[in-house]
Amino acid sequence: MTKQHTLDDLRARISRADLLKAKRHGFSDPQLAHLWRTDAWTIRTLRKELGVMPVFKTVDTCAAEFEAYTPYHYSTYEAETEAVRSNRKKIMILGGGPNRIGQGIEFDYCCCHAAYALKEDGFETIMVNSNPETVSTDYDTSDKLYFEPLTAEDVLGIADVEQPDGVIVQFGGQTPLNLARDLERGGLEIAGTSPEAIDLAEDRKRFGALIKDLGIRQPENGTAVNTDEAIAIAEHIGYPILVRPSYVLGGRAMAIVYDREALIAYMHNAIEASPEHPVLIDRFLEDAHEFDVDAVADPTAVVIGGMMQHIESAGIHSGDSACVLPPYRISDANRDELRRHTHALARALNVVGLMNIQFAIQDEDVFIIEVNPRASRTVPFVSKAIGVPLAKVAARAMVGRTLEEQGFTREVPIDHIAVKEAVLPFNKFPGVDTVLGPEMKSTGEVMGIDTDFGLSFQKAQLGAGVRLPQAGTVFLSVNDRDKEALVPIAQHLSEMGFRLVATRGTHAFLNTRGIVCGPILKIQEGRPNILDAIKNGDISLMINTPAGDQSQAADPEIRRAAVQYGLPYTTTLSGAVAAVAGIQSLKNNSAIRIRSLQEFHRSTRQ
């Protein structure tokens, strides 16, 4: 092993001129640490000793024609700084950086609301973000803005100048959350939930021990670093299993594995892609329903902001699943259990600010999937649905204002139903399969509100650019596990006057259940086939649930055609049930009623 250089070694070898030259050429502390065989903290200490520190210039928004007063700053290694520190109490808010699938505008919403709330309360707000396309980087969002990357080195450089009273890492998604430990080590005060509690929630073994002490169920799981370990864990847990690399965003490279051969293939690819990170393996809860709970906590109280049920079954990433608030299919006993677990976990983790918990319910048994002691992507949806800006409430709690002081002491009862639907980008990527799974694919979301679930779902579909039909022909092709559950859906569609057509296996099964259904050929079976019918506009709605590699290899062309020709479709039966409810509600109502969010909230409070 190559010997690591100490600070004394570097003092003897590296001059101030060398270090300043390296920084002016754009070398970061971690890059220099790699080149000089030391660590980034040693480089930072050496820089401070030698006085090689960044200065901050003001963005010239007047092109030198007039003196610019905009509070936009960027770092450089020159002689003079233009950033002026005030004597006001100040809070630094870390944004999310570049938007990408799994982390995007929902977190920017939270950062903005934190800035608005703390400005109203008299704090000087300092935003750190490197994405000029976000609202958090608008001139009137915060008192100061630093266009800097979200790295420990850059944030600590700003903090050296501004000396903030606290730093909020909860609202920018996983990117700033990953900096919490380094910022704490650098002497900054992390506002709200401590980095220790954040680490506890993300450490599989420690978190497993915590929920065992709290008496909360969790799907059996394990961690593997090679194929043999993965096979042993899978055979102990039992197939199907959910596998994913550790430290991923948006469920990237996550998969549901049904047999040994598929697991071997997955592990081969996962180890090649990331040999230093273990693979996480969980028992997959088939036919379970997922729930999200968003809560706000201060040191003495916990209040649930919203409880949502995913419309798609477990196994679909929460960012891609439509969800409904309040839950539409849950027993009172299960609802109370979710509340108890939420309160217990918030107290056990000492959460101050926002917290999101994902649960699954299988046969009335509640399992915990994940706990995030931070803002989640559902916060904007929940806030709009209940009429309470949760990010503002949480930001104030993080700087010492109790929930009681803010008048937020109980769940908000609502008289309406809100449905969130994901917006998927498949029309921009014609070669991509549209089937949903554990890896997130959506790039946005919309919301529908009404007093009836079906109408709320219908509005959400319209917002996402999908117009559900009221008549026509429905194409059905589902995997063997879904055939029995398809029967009531097909029956309901038939009773509403739709004509049904299905591929060979689905057609034969429905006929045995007495449901009138016409046959239609798959692409490989000859012509005219289902692809011809889609192109000719003969299909009004498609229900297609693939399973396994063979099915998924045969069906993508059909699903891509649905996107290309604007055909409404679903790849889950739970989505089909919701679509049928939306169609039925639309047929029962002559027109969709339009009301503003404010009108819904006023009627709730009367």
Side-chain angles (χ1 to χ4, degrees):
M1 179 181 289
T2 305
K3 178 180 178 292
Q4 289 291 98
H5 288 143
T6 65
L7 181 58
D8 286 338
D9 295 333
L10 294 184
R11 286 184 182 124
R13 294 176 56 233
I14 308 299
S15 68
R16 183 181 188 279
D18 290 336
L19 189 53
L20 182 60
K21 183 178 180 180
K23 297 306 288 185
R24 283 180 170 173
H25 278 78
F27 286 89
S28 68
D29 286 357
Q31 287 173 321
L32 293 176
H34 174 74
L35 292 171
W36 294 341
R37 299 201 303 277
T38 186
D39 62 80
W41 289 100
T42 300
I43 298 294
R44 174 173 165 80
T45 302
L46 182 64
R47 282 198 298 106
K48 294 185 82 168
E49 285 185 3
L50 297 177
V52 179
M53 301 297 288
V55 299
F56 292 91
K57 298 295 186 180
T58 301
V59 174
D60 185 358
T61 55
C62 299
E65 188 173 353
F66 308 102
E67 186 174 358
Y69 293 100
T70 52
Y72 294 179
H73 301 296
Y74 63 95
S75 66
T76 184
Y77 279 85
E78 294 184 9
E80 183 182 346
T81 189
E82 296 172 0
V84 180
R85 184 185 185 276
S86 74
N87 291 322
R88 296 168 59 194
K89 289 202 74 173
K90 49 183 65 63
I91 297 292
M92 182 185 291
I93 302 165
L94 304 190
N99 287 353
R100 58 251 196 229
I101 290 178
Q103 179 172 302
I105 202 67
E106 304 95 331
F107 296 107
D108 199 63
Y109 166 99
C110 294
C111 291
C112 291
H113 276 235
Y116 300 152
L118 297 179
K119 280 176 72 174
E120 290 168 8
D121 288 2
F123 287 89
E124 181 179 9
T125 56
I126 301 166
M127 188 70 66
V128 182
N129 203 358
S130 57
N131 185 353
E133 292 298 316
T134 56
V135 181
S136 66
T137 55
D138 283 358
Y139 74 93
D140 56 351
T141 296
S142 56
D143 294 303
K144 280 185 177 179
L145 168 68
Y146 284 85
F147 276 119
E148 292 294 301
L150 274 300
T151 70
E153 176 185 347
D154 291 288
V155 174
L156 288 171
I158 299 165
D160 289 335
V161 173
E162 292 290 350
Q163 295 295 305
D165 296 283
V167 180
I168 292 179
V169 300
Q170 271 192 30
F171 291 159
Q174 196 65 38
T175 300
L177 211 66
N178 290 341
L179 303 179
R181 279 292 193 191
D182 283 343
L183 300 183
E184 188 178 50
R185 179 178 176 180
L188 298 187
E189 181 73 25
I190 304 300
T193 308
S194 70
E196 169 61 23
I198 293 168
D199 281 355
L200 173 56
E202 295 193 346
D203 185 300
R204 177 164 283 219
K205 289 184 179 178
R206 294 172 65 205
F207 181 69
L210 172 66
I211 62 171
K212 186 176 181 181
D213 290 342
L214 295 175
I216 303 174
R217 294 184 190 89
Q218 185 181 34
E220 291 179 273
N221 61 75
T223 304
V225 295
N226 57 54
T227 302
D228 290 339
E229 284 186 8
I231 291 171
I233 293 167
E235 290 178 352
H236 171 71
I237 291 174
Y239 294 98
I241 56 173
L242 191 66
V243 291
R244 62 188 171 97
S246 53
Y247 306 102
V248 299
L249 184 70
R252 184 167 51 85
M254 191 183 295
I256 300 168
V257 172
Y258 288 90
D259 54 50
R260 181 189 177 107
E261 289 70 28
L263 177 60
I264 292 171
Y266 179 90
M267 288 300 296
H268 177 73
N269 292 330
I271 292 169
E272 275 194 353
S274 185
E276 71 278 10
H277 288 154
V279 171
L280 310 180
I281 302 173
D282 296 87
R283 179 167 71 87
F284 176 59
L285 301 174
E286 287 193 286
D287 301 319
H289 291 279
E290 285 196 35
F291 295 80
D292 265 86
V293 179
D294 280 342
V296 187
D298 65 21
T300 62
V302 181
V303 178
I304 290 176
M307 187 182 294
M308 297 148 279
Q309 181 172 359
H310 295 197
I311 290 175
E312 277 77 17
S313 298
I316 306 299
H317 193 280
S318 61
D320 287 350
S321 178
C323 68
V324 56
L325 186 158
Y328 69 120
R329 288 182 177 181
I330 185 174
S331 67
D332 289 341
N334 280 157
R335 192 190 302 263
D336 290 341
E337 190 173 354
L338 296 188
R339 290 192 178 108
R340 289 197 305 273
H341 291 340
T342 300
H343 282 258
L345 283 162
R347 292 281 64 94
L349 292 169
N350 297 313
V351 171
V352 177
L354 285 165
M355 178 179 73
N356 169 266
I357 307 179
Q358 294 174 23
F359 295 99
I361 299 180
Q362 183 188 55
D363 300 327
E364 295 298 301
D365 289 332
V366 174
F367 296 85
I368 190 163
I369 304 298
E370 190 175 29
V371 176
N372 295 302
R374 58 165 173 80
S376 75
R377 65 176 61 84
T378 52
V379 168
F381 168 67
V382 175
S383 299
K384 293 173 189 296
I386 67 173
V388 175
L390 294 179
K392 283 188 172 183
V393 174
R396 290 184 166 117
M398 293 164 72
V399 296
R401 286 189 62 185
T402 66
L403 298 180
E404 186 173 8
E405 284 179 62
Q406 298 184 61
F408 188 60
T409 56
R410 65 187 182 94
E411 284 184 63
V412 177
I414 58 175
D415 298 328
H416 52 267
I417 295 170
V419 173
K420 182 212 82 174
E421 179 58 281
V423 177
L424 297 154
F426 298 131
N427 60 335
K428 305 290 185 184
F429 301 97
V432 174
D433 193 0
T434 65
V435 67
L436 299 179
E439 183 171 354
M440 185 174 168
K441 298 177 180 178
S442 64
T443 53
E445 61 187 39
V446 294
M447 179 176 178
I449 296 185
D450 213 294
T451 54
D452 170 86
F453 168 71
L455 286 175
S456 299
F457 184 81
Q458 174 80 347
K459 286 181 177 181
Q461 295 306 301
L462 286 171
V466 177
R467 187 175 292 276
L468 293 174
Q470 296 188 58
T473 300
V474 179
F475 166 64
L476 308 170
S477 180
V478 302
N479 65 68
D480 290 340
R481 291 194 307 275
D482 287 342
K483 283 186 170 60
E484 195 63 53
L486 178 65
V487 172
I489 298 171
Q491 186 68 50
H492 198 165
L493 286 166
S494 182
E495 290 170 356
M496 286 192 291
F498 285 90
R499 176 175 175 260
L500 308 180
V501 296
T503 50
R504 185 189 306 162
T506 305
H507 170 258
F509 183 85
L510 291 177
N511 279 350
T512 65
R513 295 298 191 271
I515 296 175
V516 177
C517 178
I520 194 165
L521 297 177
K522 293 183 178 180
I523 296 173
Q524 64 272 28
E525 293 174 340
R527 303 188 72 172
N529 54 42
I530 178 55
L531 190 58
D532 296 318
I534 292 173
K535 289 179 177 178
N536 293 335
D538 297 333
I539 305 298
S540 302
L541 176 68
M542 182 174 86
I543 299 172
N544 172 232
T545 66
D549 294 339
Q550 183 176 359
S551 174
Q552 292 195 20
D555 294 345
E557 193 171 354
I558 300 172
R559 293 189 288 270
R560 286 196 292 267
V563 173
Q564 182 180 354
Y565 291 94
L567 171 65
Y569 71 94
T570 177
T571 60
T572 65
L573 283 195
S574 48
V577 170
V580 169
I583 293 168
Q584 183 67 70
S585 292
L586 196 58
K587 291 173 80 71
N588 292 343
N589 294 272
S590 57
I592 291 179
R593 181 177 56 166
I594 305 299
R595 295 171 68 194
S596 67
L597 275 173
Q598 290 80 0
E599 288 176 286
F600 279 109
H601 295 149
R602 275 198 297 271
S603 65
T604 293
R605 286 161 174 72
Q606 287 175 353

